[in-house]
Amino acid sequence: MPAPTLTTARLVLRQLREDDAAALFPVLSDPEVMTWWSSGPHTSPAETEDYVKGNASEGEGYLCWAITAGDDTALGWVILIDGKPDVKEIGYILHRDHWGRGIVREAAARVIEHGFADLKLRRIFADTDPENTGSIGLLERLGFQREGHLRGEWETHIGVRDSLIYGLLRDEWMEKRK
């Protein structure tokens, strides 16, 4: 099932497509954007094509929305990854030229709303690097609470890294919206 189109005041979130690869190569090849990603910067458009194709696939245990604003060009994405029943993990990435404008917050909030209101999830969580202050700040502004610190959790292009786990419950989200 494709991700349903979601809208906000400034954004249209639509199913990620294979043809988004060209627009996303500058994102996924940017060393600064990819610092905290589980894999290093992409070195070729073909690598990005394969990666986007995997994330654009339907029926693979996740929903992935391209973040667009004003036109149909993908600026990044928000993804919900299957976990336990009624639980999903959220992830996001955005072109560095659009950082600091509240775009990921707006997009993630809309996906969270969809997750709790339409998918009837009970919990959404995120896994982030302890040094990724931008992501930590975003999660906390969205109402996520730090739930755990996993030592030596990931082997990445910058070495073995710890993870911070943040969680948000449906009741907390609904209360925050009041």
Side-chain angles (χ1 to χ4, degrees):
M1 151 176 100
T5 299
L6 307 173
T7 60
T8 71
R10 299 184 295 168
L11 307 172
V12 174
L13 309 176
R14 57 146 174 90
Q15 171 69 43
L16 184 70
R17 303 183 307 244
E18 289 183 37
D19 66 356
D20 289 322
L24 291 171
F25 178 66
V27 179
L28 297 169
S29 63
D30 184 325
E32 187 174 354
V33 173
M34 297 297 283
T35 299
W36 309 117
W37 211 247
S38 56
S39 58
H42 292 190
T43 57
S44 71
E47 182 180 5
T48 299
E49 288 169 13
D50 288 344
Y51 195 73
V52 170
K53 182 178 180 179
N55 281 297
S57 298
E58 296 176 28
E60 298 297 319
Y62 44 80
L63 297 170
C64 193
W65 289 267
I67 302 170
T68 69
D71 62 18
D72 197 45
T73 304
L75 307 175
W77 70 66
V78 179
I79 190 168
L80 283 180
I81 304 164
D82 285 353
K84 299 173 185 156
D86 302 322
V87 175
K88 292 194 185 286
E89 178 180 0
I90 193 168
Y92 37 79
I93 194 165
L94 184 69
H95 193 293
R96 185 164 33 111
D97 288 352
H98 298 280
W99 288 1
R101 299 180 190 172
I103 290 173
V104 171
R105 182 177 186 203
E106 188 173 326
R110 182 62 185 94
V111 168
I112 291 165
E113 179 66 26
H114 172 71
F116 289 138
D118 301 323
L119 301 178
K120 306 299 183 200
L121 300 177
R122 67 177 161 80
R123 180 179 191 290
I124 297 174
F125 72 97
D127 177 340
T128 193
D129 190 284
E131 293 182 30
N132 188 347
T133 56
S135 187
I136 290 167
L138 170 66
L139 292 168
E140 290 175 350
R141 283 189 301 280
L142 287 167
F144 283 77
Q145 294 181 32
R146 182 174 158 179
E147 297 178 337
H149 185 146
L150 306 175
R151 299 173 299 143
E153 178 69 2
W154 293 103
E155 186 169 345
T156 75
H157 61 287
I158 59 172
V160 175
R161 305 297 298 174
D162 291 1
S163 283
L164 295 181
I165 304 301
Y166 279 80
L168 180 63
L169 302 178
R170 178 178 41 225
D171 293 344
E172 294 166 342
W173 178 257
M174 297 305 184
E175 183 62 32
K176 182 179 182 204
R177 292 182 55 231
K178 290 182 182 178

